[in-house]
Amino acid sequence: MKVTVSRKAHFNAAHRLFNPNWSFEKNEEVFGKCNNPNFHGHNYELIVSVKGTIDPETGYVVDMKVLKQIIKEHVEDVFDHKNLNLDTEEFKELNPTAENIAVVIWNKLRPHIKSDLELKVKLYETERNFVEFEG
Amino acid sequence: MKVTVSRKAHFNAAHRLFNPNWSFEKNEEVFGKCNNPNFHGHNYELIVSVKGTIDPETGYVVDMKVLKQIIKEHVEDVFDHKNLNLDTEEFKELNPTAENIAVVIWNKLRPHIKSDLELKVKLYETERNFVEFEG
Amino acid sequence: MKVTVSRKAHFNAAHRLFNPNWSFEKNEEVFGKCNNPNFHGHNYELIVSVKGTIDPETGYVVDMKVLKQIIKEHVEDVFDHKNLNLDTEEFKELNPTAENIAVVIWNKLRPHIKSDLELKVKLYETERNFVEFEG
Amino acid sequence: MKVTVSRKAHFNAAHRLFNPNWSFEKNEEVFGKCNNPNFHGHNYELIVSVKGTIDPETGYVVDMKVLKQIIKEHVEDVFDHKNLNLDTEEFKELNPTAENIAVVIWNKLRPHIKSDLELKVKLYETERNFVEFEG
Amino acid sequence: MKVTVSRKAHFNAAHRLFNPNWSFEKNEEVFGKCNNPNFHGHNYELIVSVKGTIDPETGYVVDMKVLKQIIKEHVEDVFDHKNLNLDTEEFKELNPTAENIAVVIWNKLRPHIKSDLELKVKLYETERNFVEFEG
Amino acid sequence: MKVTVSRKAHFNAAHRLFNPNWSFEKNEEVFGKCNNPNFHGHNYELIVSVKGTIDPETGYVVDMKVLKQIIKEHVEDVFDHKNLNLDTEEFKELNPTAENIAVVIWNKLRPHIKSDLELKVKLYETERNFVEFEG
């Protein structure tokens, strides 16, 4: 009898989508406006979900205050008001598409969530574009 | 070939999170501001989803008007404008965390949804905190 | 290691819910106000989700610009500002309930999404009523 | 010392935009897809605001329950699940643009709001298009 | 040439609406479910707006970080997770209707906003009920 | 008898807040994380409102399709997927705070809106921070 608990967070960041092994023309063709060498940016909305059994002592699957703090420390403090391509280790060699950002966030959070809890992340790049990853 | 049909509802309620077997200090440590003995409250948003096959006569999995009425009778009329700890039987002995409220709502609705339909509830305590339960 | 990518779209349409094999009274009883012979209408919000592996060259599961164009061509251009009962082939003989519209949209999109990608559609008829279909 | 109190309501309706004194071509040129003779439709979101002084006995400018009932009786019951052009007296001879609907709603509500209260209506035709009228 | 700058905040609280000079029956008649002696509650959303000229050195009318801190100190820390009737000085003798809460918040913020800036508060009690006060 | 008509648009951009006449330390003190020399970014949501009388021929104050096109040409095409500091003439010498961006947008739109219509812009930098300018 498992319940899923979700917490919403957010961060604002700049990024550029491109493949360094391709010509500028090829990048322009594939990534269009997202290939602007001067970067553009987004308000990223993040929903982190963990699924597990309810602790009968607390009535919690996970303490939201603790989950909020884990997201702050391992995601918001790392990515908020940053240039993903230039300011972060994670995207020095990895194209910061919504898909890749979601996988990176999942991998950053996984060690800090107890192993008997399932983890899922949902990342909104805009209100109209979003991705989900559950490992 | 199954379709999931969802209906959104809401109720406003007061609650306090605490474990009566613990000292006030222990409750304060675990539940923080949510342990206020004078209660605080929320606008709860509830999404009830049922999954099943489409009736070829009506084009419905379930009649939304009927589903709306079931939610009103078994959830909204019971919890709206109530103090969950003091005014309801369900939380007299059960800590009204979002997780426990979701399980209670699922159990209250299950007998009123046809047995060949799957049931899921999603409960927003705030825009940033929400839980899901599917039995 | 699969990621789900979602794109939101919308269209505005008129419709009437009824079963031509039933009497007006029976339709009135089952569909109520939705059986208005002069039609009523909705702002339909559509979320199309595809699930697959990330292409290491692009960092994309699917190019959102391409997905947006597929939705435009096969859903928005066909249903936007239309009377679903009178103006479309799909609902000439099929009751345009949210459930049936979701299945029709899924079937229209499926041939245009690569076969190794899973497809899911979510359709909001109103903010409070919505359906999901994944084949 | 005046406070503005607002209440949100909604109705779903079909409509067609056109000027009966113009040719079909002229209507097509001006109203485009909105001129579909078979109609299209919207989920209209309505916000009704009244401004006045707080009654010291109740702490209310206006009782929201009363305001909700006035909106239901004079707007929702009249326009919900209707074809504005065919089913309502108000738009038999008046083009049901968002602008005109807002003015009509304001005029329908004004006699039922006490004369010392200012009245304003805001009408969303879609999330992206909306109008306001305050007399 | 003035610009209005707005910041959104929130707090969760319990309250009861009643007039201590009235009988329980009279309170029940006027305030209905809101008169529950055991309280109910809300997620209050607050928008604080200040209007003034842009400082040419900073490009700011007001520093949002400073405004955020003022709201936290004088509103959120005072009302969040509180029972408005029992835990706050402001509503010991004042009925905590949305109207009165908005006026109280405006009065609490006014001394901390520079006198050449206009101040306005908008308070959502629920998504469907909200009030505004500008002094 | 005037009606206000509003249209929502959006653009995604990168920016950095700083005053070139100040030391890095002074900029860091005033603008904090927003002074990141590598930029950060936002999904800007823009609401453009025009107020005027209803044309009795069309029932429009302004044709939304025309207003949408004006916003696209003079705002979205100029700022979307751009680095405001590096890629635009407007912010080469002007700090791209939300306040300044709103004034710049108002000035760019004003010549394209008929002179007897009032113009107002509302710009959301995030869901929690937004500004308004009406000339």
Side-chain angles (χ1 to χ4, degrees):
Chain A
M1 212 183 73
K2 295 189 164 188
V3 173
T4 304
V5 173
S6 297
R7 173 78 196 168
K8 196 174 167 188
H10 67 98
F11 57 94
N12 309 319
H15 75 158
R16 175 197 177 183
L17 299 188
F18 75 114
N19 182 331
N21 302 318
W22 290 350
S23 67
F24 188 81
E25 288 68 28
K26 177 76 185 289
N27 275 302
E28 205 68 359
E29 185 193 319
V30 173
F31 296 111
K33 294 183 296 181
C34 298
N35 180 38
N36 181 352
N38 286 331
F39 312 101
H40 65 287
H42 296 290
N43 302 329
Y44 290 95
E45 294 282 341
L46 173 68
I47 295 174
V48 176
S49 301
V50 295
K51 186 174 183 176
T53 53
I54 300 179
D55 178 332
E57 292 282 295
T58 59
Y60 284 164
V61 167
V62 65
D63 186 335
M64 290 270 197
K65 297 185 295 296
V66 174
L67 183 58
K68 179 185 174 181
Q69 186 55 34
I70 290 170
I71 300 170
K72 183 181 183 308
E73 190 176 334
H74 298 283
V75 181
E76 292 178 320
D77 288 353
V78 180
F79 295 142
D80 190 32
H81 282 73
K82 295 290 168 57
N83 182 310
L84 297 178
N85 304 71
L86 301 181
D87 294 330
T88 76
E89 284 308 312
E90 290 81 357
F91 300 103
K92 282 257 156 60
E93 317 253 319
L94 183 67
N95 200 8
T97 58
E99 289 92 327
N100 281 336
I101 303 173
V103 172
V104 162
I105 288 174
W106 192 92
N107 284 323
K108 292 177 76 70
L109 291 174
R110 184 65 269 186
H112 306 284
I113 306 293
K114 286 199 299 184
S115 61
D116 58 340
L117 297 172
E118 301 170 43
L119 174 66
K120 180 176 169 181
V121 301
K122 187 173 186 175
L123 181 75
Y124 286 81
E125 193 173 76
T126 71
E127 195 204 353
R128 298 193 167 268
N129 291 352
F130 57 94
V131 301
E132 288 161 280
F133 182 62
E134 40 190 322
Chain B
M1 215 183 70
K2 294 190 165 190
V3 172
T4 304
V5 172
S6 297
R7 174 77 198 169
K8 196 174 169 190
H10 66 98
F11 57 95
N12 310 318
H15 76 157
R16 175 197 179 184
L17 299 188
F18 75 114
N19 182 331
N21 302 318
W22 290 351
S23 68
F24 188 80
E25 288 68 28
K26 177 75 185 292
N27 274 301
E28 204 69 357
E29 186 193 319
V30 173
F31 296 111
K33 294 183 297 183
C34 298
N35 180 38
N36 181 352
N38 286 332
F39 311 100
H40 65 288
H42 295 290
N43 303 329
Y44 290 94
E45 294 281 341
L46 173 69
I47 295 173
V48 176
S49 301
V50 296
K51 187 175 183 175
T53 52
I54 300 179
D55 177 332
E57 292 281 296
T58 59
Y60 283 164
V61 167
V62 65
D63 186 334
M64 290 271 198
K65 297 185 296 295
V66 173
L67 183 58
K68 178 185 175 182
Q69 186 55 33
I70 291 171
I71 301 170
K72 183 180 183 306
E73 189 175 335
H74 298 283
V75 181
E76 292 178 322
D77 287 353
V78 181
F79 295 143
D80 189 34
H81 281 73
K82 295 290 168 59
N83 182 310
L84 298 179
N85 305 72
L86 301 181
D87 294 329
T88 75
E89 284 309 310
E90 290 81 356
F91 300 104
K92 281 259 156 61
E93 318 253 318
L94 182 68
N95 200 10
T97 58
E99 288 93 327
N100 281 336
I101 302 173
V103 172
V104 161
I105 288 173
W106 191 91
N107 284 323
K108 292 176 77 69
L109 291 174
R110 185 64 270 186
H112 306 285
I113 305 292
K114 285 198 300 184
S115 60
D116 58 340
L117 296 172
E118 300 169 44
L119 174 66
K120 179 175 169 182
V121 300
K122 186 173 186 175
L123 182 73
Y124 287 81
E125 193 174 77
T126 71
E127 195 205 353
R128 298 193 167 269
N129 291 350
F130 57 94
V131 301
E132 288 160 280
F133 182 63
E134 41 191 322
Chain C
M1 214 184 72
K2 295 191 167 189
V3 172
T4 304
V5 172
S6 297
R7 173 78 197 169
K8 197 174 166 188
H10 66 98
F11 57 94
N12 309 318
H15 75 159
R16 174 197 179 182
L17 300 187
F18 75 114
N19 182 330
N21 303 318
W22 291 351
S23 67
F24 188 81
E25 288 67 29
K26 177 77 184 290
N27 275 302
E28 204 70 357
E29 186 193 319
V30 173
F31 296 111
K33 295 183 295 182
C34 299
N35 180 38
N36 181 351
N38 285 331
F39 311 101
H40 65 287
H42 296 290
N43 302 329
Y44 290 94
E45 294 281 341
L46 173 68
I47 295 174
V48 176
S49 301
V50 296
K51 187 174 183 174
T53 53
I54 301 179
D55 178 333
E57 292 281 297
T58 59
Y60 284 163
V61 167
V62 66
D63 186 334
M64 290 270 197
K65 296 186 295 295
V66 173
L67 183 58
K68 178 184 174 182
Q69 186 55 33
I70 291 171
I71 301 170
K72 182 181 184 309
E73 189 176 335
H74 298 283
V75 181
E76 292 178 321
D77 287 354
V78 180
F79 295 142
D80 190 34
H81 281 73
K82 294 289 168 60
N83 182 309
L84 297 179
N85 305 73
L86 301 182
D87 295 329
T88 75
E89 284 308 312
E90 290 82 355
F91 300 104
K92 282 258 157 62
E93 316 254 318
L94 182 67
N95 200 7
T97 59
E99 289 92 327
N100 281 336
I101 302 173
V103 172
V104 162
I105 288 174
W106 192 93
N107 284 324
K108 291 176 77 69
L109 291 173
R110 185 64 269 186
H112 306 284
I113 306 292
K114 285 197 302 185
S115 60
D116 58 341
L117 296 172
E118 299 170 45
L119 174 65
K120 180 176 168 180
V121 301
K122 186 173 186 175
L123 181 74
Y124 287 80
E125 192 173 76
T126 71
E127 195 205 354
R128 299 194 166 269
N129 292 352
F130 56 95
V131 301
E132 288 160 279
F133 181 62
E134 41 191 320
Chain D
M1 214 183 73
K2 295 190 165 187
V3 172
T4 303
V5 173
S6 297
R7 173 78 197 168
K8 197 175 167 188
H10 66 98
F11 57 94
N12 310 318
H15 76 158
R16 174 197 179 183
L17 299 187
F18 76 114
N19 182 331
N21 303 318
W22 290 351
S23 67
F24 188 80
E25 288 68 28
K26 178 76 185 290
N27 275 302
E28 204 70 356
E29 184 193 320
V30 173
F31 296 112
K33 294 183 296 182
C34 299
N35 180 39
N36 181 351
N38 285 332
F39 311 101
H40 65 287
H42 296 290
N43 303 330
Y44 290 94
E45 295 281 340
L46 173 69
I47 295 174
V48 176
S49 301
V50 295
K51 187 174 184 176
T53 53
I54 301 179
D55 177 332
E57 293 281 296
T58 58
Y60 285 164
V61 167
V62 66
D63 186 335
M64 290 269 200
K65 297 185 296 295
V66 174
L67 183 58
K68 178 185 175 182
Q69 186 55 34
I70 291 171
I71 300 170
K72 181 180 185 306
E73 190 176 335
H74 298 283
V75 181
E76 293 178 321
D77 288 353
V78 180
F79 295 142
D80 189 35
H81 282 73
K82 295 290 167 58
N83 182 310
L84 298 179
N85 304 72
L86 301 181
D87 294 330
T88 75
E89 284 308 311
E90 290 82 356
F91 300 104
K92 282 254 156 63
E93 318 255 316
L94 182 66
N95 200 9
T97 59
E99 289 92 326
N100 281 336
I101 302 173
V103 173
V104 162
I105 288 174
W106 192 92
N107 284 323
K108 292 177 76 70
L109 292 174
R110 185 63 268 186
H112 306 284
I113 306 292
K114 284 198 300 184
S115 61
D116 57 341
L117 296 172
E118 300 170 42
L119 174 65
K120 181 177 168 180
V121 302
K122 187 174 186 175
L123 182 74
Y124 287 79
E125 193 174 76
T126 71
E127 195 204 352
R128 298 193 168 269
N129 291 352
F130 57 95
V131 301
E132 288 161 280
F133 182 62
E134 40 191 320
Chain E
M1 214 183 74
K2 295 190 164 188
V3 173
T4 303
V5 173
S6 297
R7 173 78 196 169
K8 197 174 167 188
H10 65 98
F11 57 94
N12 310 317
H15 76 159
R16 174 197 179 184
L17 299 188
F18 75 115
N19 182 331
N21 302 319
W22 290 350
S23 67
F24 188 81
E25 288 69 28
K26 178 74 184 289
N27 274 300
E28 205 69 358
E29 186 193 318
V30 173
F31 296 111
K33 294 183 296 183
C34 298
N35 180 38
N36 180 353
N38 285 332
F39 311 101
H40 65 288
H42 296 291
N43 302 329
Y44 290 95
E45 295 281 341
L46 173 68
I47 295 173
V48 176
S49 301
V50 295
K51 186 174 182 175
T53 53
I54 301 178
D55 178 333
E57 291 282 296
T58 58
Y60 284 164
V61 167
V62 65
D63 185 335
M64 290 269 198
K65 297 184 296 296
V66 173
L67 183 58
K68 178 185 175 182
Q69 186 54 34
I70 290 171
I71 300 170
K72 182 181 184 306
E73 189 176 334
H74 299 283
V75 180
E76 292 178 321
D77 288 354
V78 181
F79 295 142
D80 190 34
H81 281 73
K82 294 291 168 57
N83 182 309
L84 297 179
N85 305 73
L86 301 181
D87 295 329
T88 74
E89 285 308 310
E90 289 81 357
F91 299 103
K92 282 258 155 62
E93 318 253 317
L94 183 67
N95 201 9
T97 57
E99 288 92 326
N100 280 336
I101 302 173
V103 172
V104 162
I105 288 173
W106 192 91
N107 284 323
K108 292 176 78 69
L109 291 174
R110 185 64 269 186
H112 306 284
I113 306 293
K114 285 198 299 185
S115 60
D116 58 339
L117 297 172
E118 299 170 44
L119 174 65
K120 181 176 169 180
V121 301
K122 187 173 185 176
L123 182 75
Y124 287 80
E125 194 174 75
T126 71
E127 195 204 353
R128 297 192 168 271
N129 292 351
F130 57 94
V131 301
E132 287 160 281
F133 182 61
E134 40 191 322
Chain F
M1 213 182 75
K2 295 189 163 188
V3 172
T4 304
V5 172
S6 297
R7 173 78 197 168
K8 198 175 167 188
H10 66 97
F11 57 94
N12 309 318
H15 76 158
R16 174 197 179 184
L17 299 188
F18 76 114
N19 181 332
N21 302 318
W22 290 351
S23 67
F24 188 81
E25 288 68 28
K26 177 76 185 291
N27 274 302
E28 204 70 357
E29 187 193 319
V30 172
F31 295 111
K33 294 184 295 183
C34 299
N35 180 38
N36 181 352
N38 285 332
F39 311 100
H40 64 287
H42 295 291
N43 303 329
Y44 290 94
E45 294 282 341
L46 173 69
I47 295 173
V48 175
S49 301
V50 295
K51 187 175 183 174
T53 52
I54 301 178
D55 178 332
E57 293 281 296
T58 59
Y60 283 164
V61 167
V62 65
D63 185 335
M64 290 271 199
K65 297 185 296 296
V66 173
L67 183 57
K68 178 184 175 183
Q69 186 56 33
I70 291 171
I71 301 170
K72 182 179 184 307
E73 188 176 336
H74 298 283
V75 182
E76 292 179 321
D77 287 354
V78 180
F79 295 143
D80 189 34
H81 281 72
K82 295 290 167 59
N83 183 310
L84 298 179
N85 306 74
L86 301 182
D87 294 330
T88 74
E89 284 308 311
E90 290 82 356
F91 300 104
K92 282 255 155 65
E93 318 254 317
L94 182 67
N95 200 9
T97 59
E99 289 92 326
N100 280 336
I101 302 173
V103 172
V104 161
I105 288 174
W106 192 92
N107 284 322
K108 291 176 78 67
L109 291 174
R110 185 63 269 185
H112 306 284
I113 307 292
K114 284 198 300 185
S115 60
D116 58 340
L117 297 172
E118 299 170 44
L119 173 66
K120 181 176 168 180
V121 301
K122 187 174 186 175
L123 182 74
Y124 286 80
E125 192 173 78
T126 71
E127 194 203 355
R128 298 193 167 270
N129 292 351
F130 57 95
V131 301
E132 288 160 280
F133 181 61
E134 41 191 321

